[in-house]
């Protein structure tokens, strides 16, 4: 049969080109696999097609059970309104296969596949119930918002109301109404109560996974625009591609995660609408809310409509953050809210008229049902079902009527929806009740294998019972197929409403629940094998409720790690803390200590990300981890965490001791990686303590042990890559020791490595250090450029500490460009933000820059006060790398307080004497630290002080000696100023210009040799 044609079988049209099934002018929604099976059947009308043939054609190279095919056939029969007992279209050949028995229309009745199908046969289509009795106005409103979506206006809609009010029913009716729109995509995700705020992006992954399976081209979009998301959906990509994606997303961030999905959705909705439905957001995780907020702020055109449903009361009672998010979005007019009210008596009467056409019910029946159900739609439908099941509503002579007077049966209707559901369950066969109870333990959505595991029965019989319940729409419904790691495809089911699951779950005794949870957990562990970490949150929940707290703790830890890989730090913290609760229930011993240690290290990562390395909670976690650590691998991670905590809090002596312990550990274990990290930690610590030569020695040793390939993941494990961090600090040390050109070369290498890795933390780090180096070299324009780039990256990725640091350096650049007032404001903001992170490291230098700004704005006294505080901070913490400059600046500000007349006096004033003491102290510190660049500045300050005094020759001689010690950097502002200053001294025997040329020649000869 020609693949390009349409096939007509009264009253349907199968449009094979666009893969759609039409009934008249209405599209009947079919999943891709269902369409493929139907296509196979109509290809050979009247012929038996075996199960194996269908499985091979529709699922090539994939192991799929017969149960999956049964699900597809059931879906087709529902779509075709075909009764399996008296079929019109699909006939079952028991245990062999299926045949299509519908009568095909003549080929002349084909319509153009590119046009919207018309009524091509004379068919009287039955009227269809939309399922929105009493919601007609709400449906009109949401359809009106969708028209904006069609015009390219993003729409965020919250459909709200209590349990059973009809939120999902309304959304279903809306989705059905827009399914006929050309090219419209619909994706749905479900939040689950058992995971709550723990499973990061759960409904988003749910929706995108189903969308990818229905339309494989979506995977290509994710591969190009959202590789981080595709990496988290392992069932959609091969193991080889996962490795490639892992390398691509190296150094990613939470902000990139949000941006990627935003970009992917923008591409997917550029030319065709996408309706993204997220159900039960009152159970959503924090990361999903972050994504909703992010999408709401995007202003670029997109044919995107996001619909979220939630229960208003539960949101208020639980204090879920969605409430605050929604209120904020409403205030900014970035979302719409559609609250649903109870049904009216008129709406109930309409429902009865539709469900029971040509009925002879008394008018009072609708009022009675309203009184009993309060107009709750779910309760109303169940109440009517109850009346039918009890024989109180009957059909005779094609008319519906009551079997007895309303007054005689109204008291028999249960008083609550839960009682109603209980009655409905009790009317079922005991075996069906048992299967449903097991399903309630498996979850709101569950696979048939989970029920098989809980029941311990034959798989075929359990699947048959589930299929029967779903076909009759008795409490559960078909939710499609699920592919297992071994390639097997199984059926997924879901409860029609969470209330059904809750009632069934509470019918079970505590012991029975625990037993079933344990069976389901063990089965899941066995089926997923090495890939069990993919369902860690699910397994953790089952093992906890199954009272296997050891396994539960392990899976909570793995679930936290999964969340960290998604940069879902709040979820990772919650999961880790839940893991600690499991640990407290374990008996004491080595196993418990090991699990607690592992959880400490896992918890440390999201705590650092959300609170900063210097936060006390971070310190407490790593201190506890140190008490527990007794092996090299864990001890190295613990030591690094403790070193970073103490370093950033400027407890430098403790940091130095921990860094030395790193080296001792490495020597005992003969591990180069540990030694590299120990040398790096010592390098960083010693620079801030002002021991520059020793720091550079450790830098060289660390560099010898550094292997770029072995350290690719360090940015994730340790928040910094050595290839970026080590040269940044080395550049500072080189400048301090009088090698400004080598320092510039070193920082350029760090910047290049940071760009290559494209890791936000590393890029912000390198840019910040580059801005400081240009500040030290007195290059304000370059310092401002690098600082602004650092601020931008830090702000985008939530790196508060780097943002604060860089703001201060940017303020210094503004001073040099004549904007002291603006600079002071920026610096004060930066200092406040810096202090808010809990970090103390770098504070003396930041305060020095603020003092300079105050001095230039003629607030010299305040500037001196800031310098006094900075000196006290440096002395207290041992952070001495800027100490020489602090004393020099103090001397300069003291001189500014002295009038020109006073400064010309031979004996000078008290302030001049204090300034001279400050310069001498600066020289003394700089000489001790071998910091030639600080010596040069202090010597120049001394020359300026003594320019009209007899001691000027001694001061000039000192400056000459310092200048003479330099071998590079002669075009930097400091050395140019020193040279100019020495030119103006007649007593100097040697021309400084000659010194410059001779030094340059010496450098060239050294390079050639």
């Amino acid at each position: 049969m020609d693949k390009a044609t349409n096939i007509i079988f009264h009253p349907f049209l199968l449009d094979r080109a666009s893969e759609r099934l039409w009934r008249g002018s209405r599209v009947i929604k079919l999943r891709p696999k269902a369409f493929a099976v139907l296509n196979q059947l109509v290809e050979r009308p009247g012929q038996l097609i075996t199960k194996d043939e269908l499985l091979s054609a529709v699922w090539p190279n994939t192991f799929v059970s017969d149960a999956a095919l049964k699900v597809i056939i059931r879906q087709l029969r529902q779509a075709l309104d075909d009764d399996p007992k008296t079929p019109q279209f699909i006939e079952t050949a028991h245990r062999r296969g299926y045949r299509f028995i519908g009568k095909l229309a003549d080929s002349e009745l084909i319509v153009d596949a590119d046009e919207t199908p018309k009524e091509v046969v004379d068919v009287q289509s039955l009227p269809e119930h939309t399922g929105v009795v009493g919601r007609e106005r709400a449906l009109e409103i949401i359809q009106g918002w969708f028209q904006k979506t069609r015009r390219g206006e993003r729409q965020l809609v919250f459909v709200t109301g209590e349990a059973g009010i009809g939120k999902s029913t309304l959304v279903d009716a809306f989705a059905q109404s827009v399914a006929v729109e050309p090219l419209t995509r619909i994706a749905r995700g479900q939040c689950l109560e058992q995971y709550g705020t723990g499973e990061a992006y759960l409904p988003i992954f749910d929706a995108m996974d189903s969308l990818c399976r229905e339309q494989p081209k979506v995977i290509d979009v994710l591969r190009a625009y959202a590789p981080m998301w595709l990496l988290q959906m392992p069932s959609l990509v091969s193991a080889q591609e996962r490795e490639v994606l892992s390398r691509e997303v190296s150094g990613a961030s939470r902000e990139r995660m949000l941006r990627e999905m935003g970009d992917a959705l923008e591409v997917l909705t550029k030319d065709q609408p996408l309706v993204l439905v997220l159900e039960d957001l009152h159970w959503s995780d924090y990361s999903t809310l972050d994504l909703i907020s992010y999408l709401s702020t995007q202003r670029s055109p997109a044919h995107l409509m996001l619909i979220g449903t939630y229960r208003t009361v539960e949101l208020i009672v639980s204090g879920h953050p969605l409430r605050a998010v929604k209120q904020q979005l409403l205030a900014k007019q970035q979302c719409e809210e559609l609250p649903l009210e109870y049904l009216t008596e008129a709406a109930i009467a309409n429902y009865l008229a539709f469900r029971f056409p040509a009925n002879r019910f008394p008018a009072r029946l609708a009022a009675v049902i309203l009184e009993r159900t309060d107009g709750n739609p779910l309760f109303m439908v169940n109440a009517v079902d109850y009346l039918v099941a009890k024989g109180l509503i009957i059909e005779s002579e094609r008319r519906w009527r009551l079997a007895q007077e309303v007054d005689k049966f109204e008291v028999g209707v249960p008083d609550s929806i839960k009682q109603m559901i209980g009655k409905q369950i009790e009317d079922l066969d005991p075996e069906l009740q048992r299967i449903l109870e097991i399903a309630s333990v498996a979850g709101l959505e569950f696979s048939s294998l989970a029920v098989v595991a809980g029941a311990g029965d034959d798989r075929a019989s359990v699947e048959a019972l589930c299929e029967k319940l779903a076909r009759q729409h008795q409490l559960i419904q078909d939710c499609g197929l699920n592919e297992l790691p071994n390639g097997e495809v199984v059926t997924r089911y879901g409860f029609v409403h969470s209330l059904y699951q809750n009632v069934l779950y509470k019918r079970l005794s505590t012991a029975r629940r625990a037993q079933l949870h344990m069976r389901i957990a063990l089965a899941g562990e066995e089926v997923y094998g090495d890939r069990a970490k993919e369902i860690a949150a699910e397994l953790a929940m089952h093992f906890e409720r199954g009272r296997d707290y050891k396994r539960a703790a392990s899976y909570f830890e793995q679930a936290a790690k999964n969340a960290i890989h998604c940069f879902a730090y709040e979820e990772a913290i919650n999961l880790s803390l839940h893991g600690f609760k499991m640990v407290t229930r374990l008996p004491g011993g080595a196993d418990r200590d090991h699990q607690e240690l592992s959880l400490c290290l896992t918890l440390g990562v999201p705590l650092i990300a959300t609170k900063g390395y210097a936060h006390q909670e971070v310190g407490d976690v790593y201190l506890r981890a140190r008490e527990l650590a007794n092996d090299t691998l864990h001890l190295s991670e613990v030591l690094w965490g403790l070193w970073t905590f103490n370093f950033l809090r400027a407890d430098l002596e403790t940091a130095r001791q921990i860094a030395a312990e790193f080296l001792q550990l490495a020597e005992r274990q003969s591990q180069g990686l540990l030694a590299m990290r120990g040398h790096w930690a010592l390098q960083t610590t010693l620079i801030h303590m002002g021991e520059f030569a020793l720091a550079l020695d450790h830098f060289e040793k660390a560099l010898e042990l550094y292997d770029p390939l072995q350290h690719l993941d360090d940015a994730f494990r340790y928040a910094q890559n050595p290839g970026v961090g080590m040269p940044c600090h080395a550049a500072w040390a080189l400048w301090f020791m009088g090698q400004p050109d080598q320092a510039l070369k070193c920082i350029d290498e760090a910047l290049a490595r940071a760009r290559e890795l494209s890791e936000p933390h590393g890029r912000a780090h390198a840019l910040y250090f580059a801005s400081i180096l240009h500040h030290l070299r007195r290059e304000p324009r370059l310092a401002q450029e690098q600082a602004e780039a650092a601020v931008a990256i830090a702000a985008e990725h939530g790196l508060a500490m780097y943002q604060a640091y860089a703001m201060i350096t940017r303020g210094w650049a503004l001073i040099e460009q004549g904007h002291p007032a603006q600079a002071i404001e920026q610096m004060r903001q930066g200092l406040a933000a810096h202090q808010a992170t809990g970090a103390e490291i770098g504070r003396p230098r930041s305060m020095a820059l603020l003092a300079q700004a105050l001095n230039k704005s003629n607030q010299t006294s305040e500037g001196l006060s800031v310098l006094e505080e900075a000196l006290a901070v440096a002395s207290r913490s041992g952070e001495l790398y800027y100490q020489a400059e602090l004393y020099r600046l103090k001397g300069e500000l003291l001189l500014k307080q002295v009038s020109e007349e006073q400064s010309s006096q031979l004996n000078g004033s008290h302030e001049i004497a204090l300034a001279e003491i400050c310069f001498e102290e600066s020289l003394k510190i700089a000489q001790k630290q071998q910091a030639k660049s600080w010596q040069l500045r202090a010597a120049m300050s001394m020359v300026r002080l003594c320019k009209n005094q007899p001691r000027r020759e001694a001061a000039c001689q000192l400056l000459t000696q310092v200048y003479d010690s330099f071998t590079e950097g002669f075009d930097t502002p400091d050395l140019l100023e020193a040279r100019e200053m020495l030119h103006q001294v007649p007593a100097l025997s040697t021309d400084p210009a000659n010194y410059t040329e001779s030094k340059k020649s010496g450098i060239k000869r050294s390079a050639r040799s």
Side-chain angles (χ1 to χ4, degrees):
M1 190 177 290
D2 183 3
K3 292 285 186 184
T5 61
N6 297 315
I7 300 173
I8 300 169
F9 49 96
H10 175 84
F12 298 99
L13 179 144
L14 191 67
D15 182 354
R16 302 166 75 185
S18 62
E19 296 191 355
R20 288 189 175 187
L21 177 68
W22 296 82
R23 180 170 185 163
S25 59
R26 185 171 64 83
V27 171
I28 306 298
K29 191 74 172 176
L30 287 181
R31 292 190 172 100
K33 296 297 185 185
F35 186 92
V37 170
L38 180 58
N39 194 44
Q40 290 291 320
L41 291 172
V42 299
E43 278 275 326
R44 295 155 57 184
Q47 299 180 31
L48 174 67
I49 304 180
T50 68
K51 293 180 180 179
D52 288 342
E53 286 180 287
L54 286 170
L55 292 173
S56 297
V58 178
W59 289 277
N61 304 318
T62 304
F63 174 75
V64 181
S65 68
D66 289 353
L69 184 56
K70 289 180 181 178
V71 171
I72 295 298
I73 295 297
R74 183 173 72 246
Q75 291 173 356
L76 288 174
R77 282 175 171 152
Q78 289 175 345
L80 299 172
D81 197 18
D82 198 25
D83 188 344
K85 296 178 181 178
T86 57
Q88 300 179 58
F89 301 109
I90 300 175
E91 181 182 77
T92 301
H94 189 55
R95 294 187 178 179
R96 291 183 294 162
Y98 304 91
R99 64 168 55 89
F100 185 81
I101 60 174
K103 183 179 179 181
L104 300 185
D106 293 336
S107 58
E108 300 88 57
L109 295 175
I110 297 167
V111 298
D112 189 333
D114 293 332
E115 295 181 358
T116 303
K118 309 290 191 298
E119 286 284 2
V120 295
V121 289
D122 185 15
V123 178
Q124 294 295 323
S125 298
L126 291 172
E128 297 217 25
H129 177 40
T130 63
V132 291
V133 168
R135 303 292 184 221
E136 293 81 4
R137 178 55 184 156
L139 185 58
E140 288 177 6
I141 292 171
I142 200 168
Q143 288 172 334
W145 289 328
F146 181 69
Q147 295 309 308
K148 294 183 179 181
T149 300
R150 294 185 64 192
R151 296 195 296 268
E153 298 179 33
R154 298 168 184 259
Q155 297 294 303
L156 171 57
V157 176
F158 292 112
V159 179
T160 67
E162 70 167 54
I165 201 71
K167 301 181 292 296
S168 296
T169 303
L170 173 65
V171 173
D172 288 344
F174 165 71
Q176 184 178 352
S177 73
V178 299
V180 298
E181 295 282 343
L183 303 178
T184 296
R185 293 188 178 109
I186 299 173
R188 306 185 76 127
Q190 176 72 55
C191 301
L192 300 176
E193 182 179 15
Q194 61 261 43
Y195 301 136
T197 58
E199 185 78 343
Y201 298 114
L202 176 64
I204 307 297
F205 282 124
D206 188 15
M208 297 310 297
D209 184 82
S210 63
L211 194 62
C212 287
R213 294 183 188 282
E214 290 188 7
Q215 301 187 28
K217 290 184 179 180
V218 175
I219 298 178
D220 296 332
V221 174
L222 295 183
R223 185 178 289 111
Y225 295 92
M228 289 179 64
W229 289 80
L230 191 57
L231 185 62
Q232 306 303 322
M233 296 188 281
S235 62
L236 298 178
V237 292
S238 65
Q240 183 178 3
E241 186 173 1
R242 285 200 298 274
E243 290 183 10
V244 174
L245 289 172
S246 296
R247 290 193 292 271
E248 285 183 10
V249 304
S250 175
S253 66
R254 168 187 166 278
E255 286 68 24
R256 176 176 167 180
M257 191 97 181
L258 298 176
R259 188 172 61 252
E260 278 192 3
M261 181 50 67
D263 292 345
L265 289 175
E266 193 166 317
V267 172
L268 287 170
T269 60
K270 181 179 180 181
D271 300 315
Q272 60 188 110
L274 169 64
V275 178
L276 180 58
V277 180
L278 305 180
E279 297 268 19
D280 295 327
L281 285 174
H282 50 274
W283 292 325
S284 72
D285 56 280
Y286 298 112
S287 294
T288 294
L289 300 185
D290 286 342
L291 180 61
I292 291 172
S293 297
Y294 176 83
L295 293 174
S296 71
T297 62
Q298 303 308 294
R299 301 270 65 89
S300 56
H303 299 86
L304 174 65
M305 184 177 207
L306 193 156
I307 303 175
T309 69
Y310 68 82
R311 300 178 192 170
T312 313
V313 174
E314 292 208 23
L315 209 64
I316 296 171
V317 173
S318 67
H320 195 282
L322 173 60
R323 185 185 183 194
V325 169
K326 185 210 68 175
Q327 289 174 338
Q328 187 177 28
L329 293 174
L330 280 174
K332 295 180 179 179
Q333 298 183 330
Q334 292 175 340
C335 74
E336 303 285 355
E337 186 175 16
L338 186 59
L340 299 185
E341 304 295 337
Y342 293 114
L343 295 180
T344 63
E345 182 179 336
I348 295 174
N350 288 339
Y351 172 78
L352 293 172
F354 181 88
R355 180 167 175 179
F356 306 103
N359 70 71
R360 294 180 175 177
F361 297 153
R364 186 162 175 265
L365 179 60
V368 170
I369 293 174
L370 174 62
E371 180 183 344
R372 303 295 295 179
T373 65
D374 291 326
N376 180 293
L378 181 64
F379 196 180
M380 178 203 71
V381 172
N382 277 268
V384 174
D385 288 344
Y386 174 83
L387 295 175
V388 173
K390 294 298 182 183
L392 299 174
I393 292 179
I394 59 176
E395 185 182 20
S396 63
E397 299 178 356
R398 297 187 179 182
R399 289 185 179 276
W400 293 92
R401 63 182 179 82
L402 298 185
Q404 59 185 22
E405 296 295 325
V406 174
D407 293 338
K408 294 181 180 180
F409 71 74
E410 62 178 276
V411 293
V413 178
D415 292 324
S416 71
I417 182 63
K418 290 185 178 180
Q419 289 179 10
M420 179 69 71
I421 294 169
K423 290 280 188 181
Q424 188 177 351
I425 293 167
E426 289 169 6
D427 288 340
L428 295 174
D429 180 270
E431 187 62 13
L432 291 178
Q433 291 185 42
R434 185 175 73 93
I435 292 300
L436 285 169
E437 287 172 348
I438 295 168
S440 74
V441 176
L444 185 62
E445 289 191 5
F446 54 90
S447 76
S448 56
L449 278 188
V451 182
V452 170
D457 295 348
D458 172 69
R459 177 172 174 178
S461 63
V462 171
E463 289 181 340
L465 290 171
C466 289
E467 184 181 352
K468 178 182 178 181
L469 287 163
R471 184 172 62 250
Q472 297 174 356
H473 214 63
Q474 286 186 283
L475 305 181
I476 66 172
Q477 59 191 349
D478 169 32
C479 291
L481 303 175
N482 183 41
E483 184 176 344
L484 300 176
N486 62 4
E488 183 180 357
V489 177
V490 297
T491 314
R492 283 194 69 79
Y493 299 95
F495 284 94
V496 174
H497 198 282
S498 60
L499 288 175
Y500 297 151
Q501 182 205 8
N502 291 337
V503 171
L504 283 158
Y505 190 79
K506 289 180 180 179
R507 285 164 56 95
L508 295 165
S509 67
T510 303
R512 177 65 172 155
R513 287 181 203 166
Q515 180 190 50
L516 291 172
H517 277 296
M518 193 64 186
R519 287 181 182 176
I520 292 169
L522 290 172
E525 204 174 38
E526 180 181 357
V527 167
Y528 274 80
D530 293 339
R531 290 175 56 183
K533 66 181 182 180
E534 295 172 17
I535 58 167
E538 180 180 343
L539 291 176
M541 180 272 295
H542 283 305
F543 277 122
E544 178 188 5
R545 297 184 183 184
R547 300 178 183 175
D548 186 337
Y549 301 121
K550 181 178 180 181
R551 277 193 174 101
S554 178
Y555 280 112
F556 274 121
E557 180 193 342
Q558 182 58 58
K561 289 178 178 177
N562 293 348
I564 291 169
H565 278 89
C566 295
F567 303 93
Y569 295 124
E570 290 291 346
E571 290 85 348
I573 291 172
N574 289 337
L575 289 163
S576 297
L577 293 176
H578 212 123
F580 280 113
K581 290 181 181 178
M582 301 299 100
V583 169
T584 61
R585 299 184 178 186
L586 298 178
D591 286 347
R592 170 176 167 163
D593 290 348
H594 179 81
Q595 182 62 72
E596 185 180 357
L597 169 62
S598 192
L599 278 164
C600 283
L601 295 175
T602 301
L603 177 59
V605 175
L607 281 179
I608 290 165
T610 56
K611 300 179 182 294
Y613 254 117
H615 197 278
Q616 188 59 51
E617 284 186 41
V618 174
D620 292 343
V621 165
Y622 281 105
L623 283 170
R624 175 57 181 159
R626 186 169 188 176
E627 294 174 4
L628 297 166
N630 55 16
D631 63 274
T632 303
L633 177 62
H634 287 123
L635 187 56
S636 66
E637 289 189 49
V638 171
L639 289 176
W640 185 261
L642 281 174
W643 170 78
T644 310
F645 170 73
N646 285 284
F647 172 75
L648 288 176
R649 288 174 72 93
D651 186 351
L652 295 179
E653 188 54 47
T654 302
R656 184 175 189 167
Q657 293 171 10
I658 294 171
E661 190 175 346
F662 246 117
L663 284 181
Q664 294 169 7
L665 180 65
E667 289 171 1
R668 289 198 303 269
Q669 302 294 330
S670 299
Q671 292 195 19
L673 293 178
L674 287 180
M676 185 280 296
R677 194 160 293 282
H679 286 300
W680 179 18
L682 275 169
Q683 171 209 353
T684 305
T685 307
L686 291 169
I687 285 171
H688 283 264
M689 297 180 80
E691 299 183 38
F692 306 125
L694 187 54
L696 284 174
D697 181 55
H698 282 288
F699 167 65
E700 294 295 338
K701 291 176 180 176
L703 205 57
E704 290 176 4
L705 298 168
Y706 171 62
D707 182 344
L709 293 178
Q710 285 186 304
H711 295 279
L712 277 177
D713 293 334
D714 276 23
F716 174 74
R717 293 181 63 194
Y718 298 103
Q720 186 64 268
N721 186 286
V724 176
M726 292 192 303
C728 281
H729 278 98
W732 281 12
L734 287 166
W735 185 88
F736 294 139
M737 295 191 70
Q739 300 177 63
D741 293 345
Q742 293 299 311
L744 192 59
K745 180 182 177 182
C746 209
I747 203 68
D748 286 343
E749 290 173 358
L751 287 166
R753 183 61 175 155
R755 284 192 293 269
E756 179 186 344
L757 293 170
S758 189
E759 188 272 312
H761 191 284
R763 288 166 61 204
H765 184 89
L767 286 166
Y768 162 66
F769 271 75
S771 72
I772 296 299
L773 181 61
H774 287 301
H775 153 245
L776 294 172
R777 286 169 57 93
R778 291 171 59 190
E779 297 164 340
R781 183 183 61 80
L782 292 173
Q784 182 176 358
E785 288 177 2
Q786 303 286 32
E788 288 179 347
V791 168
I793 291 174
E796 180 183 357
H797 297 282
L799 304 171
M801 192 166 65
Y802 288 114
Q803 186 176 1
Y805 283 149
M807 284 175 64
I808 295 167
T809 308
R810 183 171 62 182
W812 171 84
L814 290 172
I815 299 173
E816 300 303 307
Q817 297 175 64
H819 306 288
Q822 186 180 352
I824 291 170
E825 179 61 26
Q826 284 232 357
M827 288 179 170
R828 291 196 188 281
Q829 289 178 9
L831 277 164
H834 180 197
Q835 193 166 11
T837 67
E840 285 293 323
I841 201 73
R843 190 167 176 79
R845 173 195 161 272
S846 299
M847 297 175 75
L849 268 62
L850 175 60
Q852 286 180 273
L854 291 167
N855 181 42
K856 289 213 170 186
S857 63
N858 296 316
Q859 301 178 58
T860 308
S861 295
E862 189 174 350
L864 281 167
S865 297
V866 170
L867 286 173
E868 288 290 353
E869 184 182 351
L871 284 164
V873 170
S875 177
R876 183 170 61 249
S877 66
E879 188 177 1
L880 305 177
Y881 77 103
Y882 222 79
Q883 190 181 34
E885 181 70 348
L886 288 173
Y887 275 108
R888 189 191 71 82
L889 289 173
K890 181 180 176 182
E892 293 287 356
L893 266 65
L894 285 168
L895 287 178
K896 189 171 181 180
Q897 287 189 322
V898 181
S899 67
E900 188 174 329
E901 180 181 350
Q902 288 175 316
S903 63
S904 65
Q905 296 175 2
L906 292 180
N907 294 328
S909 65
H910 176 66
E911 286 78 6
I912 294 175
L914 289 176
E916 185 172 3
I917 291 172
C918 286
F919 295 150
E920 288 174 349
E921 185 65 20
S922 177
L923 280 165
K924 179 182 175 182
I925 293 168
Q927 288 167 354
K928 180 181 178 181
Q929 294 177 348
Q930 303 178 55
K932 289 195 294 184
S933 292
W934 288 151
Q935 288 183 58
L936 184 70
R937 288 193 184 177
M940 285 193 289
S941 290
M942 190 66 82
V943 168
R944 282 191 291 269
L945 174 69
C946 300
K947 65 180 180 180
N948 297 321
Q949 298 180 13
R951 289 174 293 171
R952 66 183 175 86
E953 287 193 18
C956 289
Q957 188 61 42
L958 172 64
L959 178 58
T960 301
Q961 291 172 359
V962 177
Y963 182 93
D964 185 50
S965 68
F966 278 81
T967 59
E968 63 180 57
F970 296 104
D971 56 349
T972 58
D974 277 352
L975 286 165
L976 288 172
E977 183 179 344
R979 177 184 172 185
E980 181 63 26
M981 190 175 287
L982 292 174
H983 264 305
Q984 297 173 3
V985 181
L988 191 62
S989 59
T990 306
D991 186 351
N994 295 333
Y995 281 99
T996 303
E997 294 306 318
S998 64
K999 296 301 177 186
K1000 287 182 178 179
S1001 299
I1003 294 168
K1004 291 177 182 177
R1005 286 195 298 273
S1006 175
R1008 284 196 296 270
S1009 63

